[in-house]
Amino acid sequence: MIKVLIIEDDPMVANINKLYLLKVPGFSLAGIVHSGTEALNFLSENSRKVDLILLDVFMPQMDGLTFLRELKLKSPDIDVIMVTAAQSVDSVRAALSRGVVDYIIKPFTYERMSVALNSYRSRYNILRNNKSLEQTVLDKEFFSKESTSDDSLPKSVEAHTLCIVKDRLAQQIRPCSTQELAEIIGISRVSLRKYLIYLENMGDIKSTLTYRHKGRPTQMYQYVGKNDI
């Protein structure tokens, strides 16, 4: 499990972060603190129990960007996803220069958070389970050098989420329903359906109707691997 520390001074937002985090498979909550100062104290005793931090910028005592600078000096192996209302170019530039792996602007949706977490989990597992990496893996998982650009996709289909949906389907050993796949990926069925329709139209997946003992037949999806994203 990927252990996550939430640093957020607003209790309501901290709870939303917690609820969203625990809905995505593969993550556990290491703790919640309310300022950069509290976070440094927490990490001084629990640094080995934290892999990832969800970090706000605007906080009392020590703001998120100051904390981020201190974190990279003391615990450089801990990754950070910014979850903040800070939209200024200076804030974004400072966060990126200090190595954040994603930047989510409040207010945000569960789908956006799940995309960030799923993407991070994929990269985390790749780095943990491999001693060397090929260029294609680096391009796909870390540097977004995909052969298909966003301009070629429908407006309702986001390239990174499309990659995640395709990859998760490719990993399944049997056909999946929309409900099953939505739970695996961590997005809503409504959002997922547009990606399934697109992938089926492109020939990457196929669907079949399965008749169960009760209720209406269920549409099942299976990866066939005709095209690459």
Side-chain angles (χ1 to χ4, degrees), residues 7-9 33-42 56-67 69-70:
I7 310 176
E8 169 61 62
D9 67 314
V33 295
H34 305 293
S35 73
T37 302
E38 286 186 50
L40 290 178
N41 292 335
F42 181 94
D56 191 12
V57 169
F58 302 121
M59 295 182 295
Q61 301 178 37
M62 180 186 292
D63 66 76
L65 295 175
T66 302
F67 165 80
R69 183 177 59 213
E70 295 296 317

Side-chain angles (χ1 to χ4, degrees), residues 57-58 65 82 84-96 103 105:
V57 169
F58 302 121
L65 295 175
M82 302 300 297
T84 178
Q87 295 181 255
S88 72
V89 171
D90 288 343
S91 294
V92 175
R93 183 184 292 116
L96 293 175
Y103 199 105
I105 297 174

Side-chain angles (χ1 to χ4, degrees), residues 23-212:
K23 286 178 67 176
V24 180
F27 293 88
S28 64
L29 181 66
I32 298 176
V33 295
H34 305 293
S35 73
T37 302
E38 286 186 50
L40 290 178
N41 292 335
F42 181 94
L43 292 173
S44 69
E45 300 177 0
N46 303 279
S47 62
R48 294 185 179 181
K49 298 180 181 179
V50 175
D51 302 302
L52 174 67
I53 290 173
L54 302 184
L55 176 64
D56 191 12
V57 169
F58 302 121
M59 295 182 295
Q61 301 178 37
M62 180 186 292
D63 66 76
L65 295 175
T66 302
F67 165 80
L68 188 57
R69 183 177 59 213
E70 295 296 317
L71 175 71
K72 291 309 173 182
L73 292 174
K74 298 178 180 179
S75 302
D77 292 336
I78 297 178
D79 294 314
V80 175
I81 293 176
M82 302 300 297
V83 185
T84 178
Q87 295 181 255
S88 72
V89 171
D90 288 343
S91 294
V92 175
R93 183 184 292 116
L96 293 175
S97 69
R98 294 167 192 173
V100 301
V101 298
D102 208 332
Y103 199 105
I104 301 174
I105 297 174
K106 301 175 185 177
F108 55 91
T109 63
Y110 168 67
E111 182 175 4
R112 179 62 181 88
M113 176 67 82
S114 69
V115 167
L117 293 174
N118 276 302
S119 178
Y120 176 78
R121 184 185 60 212
S122 179
R123 297 193 299 265
Y124 175 90
N125 289 333
I126 286 171
L127 292 175
R128 185 179 64 173
N129 298 326
N130 294 276
K131 292 184 178 180
S132 62
L133 297 174
E134 296 180 356
Q135 185 69 57
T136 53
V137 175
L138 287 170
D139 288 347
K140 181 177 182 181
E141 299 291 343
F142 294 88
F143 302 114
S144 300
K145 305 297 184 184
E146 300 294 339
S147 58
T148 300
S149 67
D150 289 346
D151 292 339
S152 67
L153 298 174
K155 290 183 178 180
S156 61
V157 175
E158 194 271 331
H160 190 68
T161 305
L162 183 64
C163 288
I164 291 174
V165 173
K166 182 179 175 181
D167 286 347
R168 297 298 177 269
L169 265 172
Q171 293 170 14
Q172 305 309 306
I173 60 176
R174 62 175 181 80
C176 291
S177 67
T178 304
Q179 177 65 38
E180 291 168 336
L181 193 59
E183 292 176 356
I184 291 170
I185 297 172
I187 63 175
S188 70
R189 287 180 295 173
V190 173
S191 296
L192 177 60
R193 285 193 187 99
K194 60 190 177 186
Y195 291 95
L196 295 174
I197 292 170
Y198 178 82
L199 286 171
E200 187 169 17
N201 289 339
M202 294 297 293
D204 288 294
I205 65 174
K206 65 178 181 180
S207 66
T208 55
L209 278 177
T210 297
Y211 292 85
R212 298 179 175 178

Side-chain angles (χ1 to χ4, degrees), residues 6-19:
I6 295 173
I7 310 176
E8 169 61 62
D9 67 314
D10 185 325
M12 183 179 70
V13 177
N15 191 54
I16 291 172
N17 287 347
K18 173 185 174 181
L19 292 175

